[in-house]
Amino acid sequence: MVYRKDFLRAPRETSAAVLAAAVALVLAACSGSGAPAVRADDMSHAARSAVAQGGTLHWAVDALPTTLNAFATDASPATTLADQALLPTLFTLDASGKATADQDYVTSAEQVSASPQTVVYTLNPKAVWSDGKPLGVADFAGQWHALSGADPAFAAAGAAHADGYDSIASVAAGAKPHQVKVVFAHSYAPWRSLFTPLYPAAATASPQAFTDGLKTALAADAGPFTLKGAAGQGGQNTLTVARNPRWWGDRAKLDAIAFTAVAPEDAASALAAHHVDVVDLSRAADDSGNTPEATAGTEVLRASAPGYLALAFNGGTGLLADPQVRRAVADAVDRQAVADAVLKPLDLPAVPLGNHLLMGDQQGYQDDAAALGASATNAAKLLDAAGWRLGAHGDAAPGTTRVNGTKPLRLTLLTRAGSARDAAIAKLLTTQLGQVGIGLATKAVPAADFFTKDVAAGDFDLALVSWPASLFPVADERALFAKPQVNGDGSLSVGQNLSATGTDEIDRLLSQAVAATNPSDAIRLTNEADIRIWQAAPSLPLFQSPELVGIRDNVRNVGAFGFATPRFQDMGFASGKGH
């Protein structure tokens, strides 16, 4: 994803003294706060003994993956699904995001030293690639080399740099057989996120092998399933994975899984007609605004997804470069009303998200929204103080737009064209901001252009943006809030920071959180950083996105996984039921 780098001026920020005082109050208010009542997952759970042997599961995806490289810029949810069935996952997550070493691949994975940070992986001696080679140090070293950013040839070929790999100093064989020792140059708390998925050494042997070589095939795989031919081979609209005959763990119940391309608008009808067995209905619900309903022989499972919808603010230029105006906009939004409108019809808990960095069902979550005033009254006070007036006596009629001199306070909201959800939220926001004298115009653009053209060009004041959560906070999130850097010509490089805002303090806290190998310290620093982010107001979290999955009612161990890692070898059809 590419974001613009041509902002011309840095935003002003609230004074450090004011922030520090507010942080102390928020921390006191949040102490002991627990996770909101989100629905972590919703599964068709069954014991392996209750799952029939055999059959092909037809799993709908929006489009076939254009790459099997999870680290490529064009990787998609379909890439992730296929990789989870085919490649080693060293740590699996439960519904709350807790990581546990996958015994099929590593019998242990432990930090054995804090200075320098050293992790020793003891590999399962039974773990082998589909070409018969055992998993080993060469696979770890190759992936480190490809993703660390040290070799510009990989970047030039289109391989993405992955956070954490640049913190590694060395990868070598451990003291005992089947061990891999990883020594870090810089402490990296979310080390469990590394080497997942793990690619065979042949896939990282050259930049071309790691990019073009992974577009439709794998040099070798090592999951409960193995790739059956090249992806999309012969013009087919399916990618099929078959039971891996070399698999050493619990034997896969299914003969095969056929990932099948089905357009989101056709997803519900394809399930109703029993053309597919599993389909994600989240996008279809967003676009149509209709609540998915079960039909004969199907059911709909509902959970809070590992991701969230936010109102992103463009603080690099325009009226929202003033942090007081950003905070006023944030305060004017009734997040509960937005959550009610979207989540209640879906039979999900209507709970606003209170954190930029942690989801409501993740360990360490706390609601930090108290860092903002969150009321129309407070928004009006901020706007008054910033010089935006509603008239000579401040008693203009509802709908009157504030002015500063002769300049009106009017903003543009960017939404995805064709999204009923976005349209409904835009209508609510227009009313809510209008009540405090902020004019709002909605600009709906094609979904394909949303990021690549409009957001990249900075053609917005506000935008409804969906972000995936970091499975291992805050490994993937620092770039979203990193303070923009000044170029030689005076312009700003913002990287992935949509708002083009930031502070040295936020950068410091996020860096400390990433380096804190003590889990309680990492959680504390993450939430302290989040409080500062709320106060800088680069974006406003609205709610955790809904995850809606339709399945045939005879499908087992599939559903709305939330943070949980799918266990593909347990998936299948109910014993005694046709499939």
Side-chain angles (χ1 to χ4, degrees):
M1 205 171 287
V2 179
Y3 301 113
R4 62 194 167 115
K5 300 180 179 180
D6 57 351
F7 295 117
L8 298 180
R9 62 189 180 110
R12 291 172 283 144
E13 294 297 345
T14 310
S15 74
V18 172
L19 286 181
V23 167
L25 291 173
V26 174
L27 283 173
C30 292
S31 61
S33 62
V38 298
R39 189 176 300 165
D41 66 348
D42 191 9
M43 300 281 294
S44 57
H45 288 292
R48 281 178 57 84
S49 59
V51 180
Q53 193 70 50
T56 296
L57 185 73
H58 295 271
W59 194 316
V61 293
D62 289 355
L64 294 188
T66 58
T67 180
L68 294 172
N69 185 343
F71 301 99
T73 54
D74 58 340
S76 67
T79 301
T80 300
L81 272 177
D83 285 349
Q84 287 174 329
L86 297 168
L87 293 168
T89 296
L90 301 194
F91 283 85
T92 59
L93 301 181
D94 66 11
S96 66
K98 181 182 178 182
T100 303
D102 189 332
Q103 296 293 308
D104 284 328
Y105 298 109
V106 287
T107 58
S108 68
E110 299 175 349
Q111 179 176 303
V112 298
S113 172
S115 183
Q117 183 184 13
T118 304
V119 174
V120 173
Y121 300 86
T122 302
L123 304 181
N124 186 333
K126 297 179 181 179
V128 295
W129 296 103
S130 54
D131 59 7
K133 296 178 181 178
L135 272 65
V137 66
D139 308 311
F140 284 72
Q143 190 149 319
W144 167 46
H145 179 73
L147 295 173
S148 67
D151 188 341
F154 277 88
H161 159 67
D163 193 30
Y165 290 90
D166 59 351
S167 296
I168 295 174
S170 66
V171 174
K176 298 179 181 179
H178 311 293
Q179 285 190 336
V180 177
K181 183 173 73 172
V182 177
V183 180
F184 290 80
H186 311 288
S187 294
Y188 188 70
W191 60 267
R192 294 172 181 82
S193 67
L194 302 175
F195 305 108
T196 291
L198 181 66
Y199 288 88
T204 55
S206 71
Q208 291 68 35
F210 197 53
T211 52
D212 294 342
L214 290 177
K215 288 194 177 299
T216 59
L218 289 168
D221 46 41
F225 290 85
T226 187
L227 187 62
K228 187 177 179 180
Q233 191 175 46
Q236 299 296 312
N237 71 333
T238 60
L239 182 156
T240 301
V241 299
R243 185 187 296 115
N244 181 1
R246 287 187 176 271
W247 177 247
W248 55 95
D250 290 336
R251 185 171 186 255
K253 289 289 186 175
L254 290 165
D255 295 326
I257 301 174
F259 296 107
T260 306
V262 177
E265 62 269 22
D266 299 327
S269 58
L271 179 65
H274 298 180
H275 293 156
V276 294
D277 302 304
V278 182
V279 61
D280 191 328
L281 299 172
S282 310
R283 169 79 180 275
D286 281 354
D287 291 346
S288 68
N290 297 323
T291 301
E293 300 291 345
T295 56
T298 73
E299 58 182 307
V300 179
L301 304 174
R302 310 160 193 270
S304 300
Y308 68 103
L309 184 73
L311 184 63
F313 300 166
N314 180 356
T317 187
L319 299 178
L320 295 179
D322 185 341
Q324 293 295 88
V325 178
R326 292 200 305 275
R327 285 175 60 91
V329 172
D331 282 344
V333 174
D334 184 343
R335 297 187 308 126
Q336 185 63 60
V338 175
D340 287 345
V342 176
L343 299 179
K344 279 188 174 180
L346 299 176
D347 192 29
L348 285 169
V351 181
L353 180 65
N355 204 296
H356 296 78
L357 304 171
L358 296 167
M359 299 300 97
D361 41 351
Q362 275 183 301
Q363 292 181 310
Y365 172 89
Q366 71 180 27
D367 188 338
D368 295 327
L372 288 176
S375 71
T377 299
N378 196 57
K381 290 179 179 177
L382 287 170
L383 293 173
D384 286 341
W388 295 96
R389 303 296 183 184
L390 266 174
H393 304 289
D395 55 358
T400 301
T401 300
R402 289 176 179 263
V403 296
N404 191 333
T406 60
K407 182 187 298 183
L409 183 51
R410 294 196 182 105
L411 303 173
T412 299
L413 171 67
L414 199 66
T415 64
R416 293 178 301 119
S419 169
R421 181 202 66 180
D422 282 14
I425 294 174
K427 186 175 181 180
L428 279 173
L429 295 177
T430 300
T431 300
Q432 292 171 2
L433 297 187
Q435 289 173 346
V436 298
I438 302 173
L440 187 66
T442 299
K443 179 182 178 182
V445 300
D449 297 339
F450 187 87
F451 273 112
T452 57
K453 293 184 180 179
D454 293 85
V455 172
D459 189 16
F460 75 101
D461 296 309
L462 303 165
L464 288 173
V465 177
S466 294
W467 282 122
S470 178
L471 302 183
F472 293 87
V474 285
D476 308 314
E477 294 161 319
R478 282 189 296 176
L480 304 181
F481 303 101
K483 182 180 177 180
Q485 300 300 305
V486 180
N487 297 318
D489 61 1
S491 63
L492 293 183
S493 291
V494 302
Q496 296 181 38
N497 186 338
L498 292 184
S499 72
T501 70
T503 69
D504 292 333
E505 189 174 22
I506 291 172
D507 287 354
R508 175 179 58 80
L509 286 167
L510 290 176
S511 294
Q512 289 177 342
V514 169
T517 54
N518 181 302
S520 61
D521 288 341
I523 289 171
R524 174 181 55 80
L525 290 162
T526 296
N527 281 303
E528 286 187 17
D530 181 56
I531 292 168
R532 268 76 167 189
I533 293 170
W534 276 97
Q535 292 164 336
S539 61
L540 182 68
L542 297 175
F543 52 79
Q544 246 176 281
S545 302
E547 182 178 6
L548 310 170
V549 177
I551 63 170
R552 296 277 302 278
D553 62 8
N554 62 341
V555 171
R556 295 294 180 265
N557 294 319
V558 179
F561 294 101
F563 279 98
T565 304
R567 187 171 163 83
F568 283 85
Q569 56 268 50
D570 293 350
M571 297 177 184
F573 299 95
S575 295
K577 291 193 175 185
H579 56 268

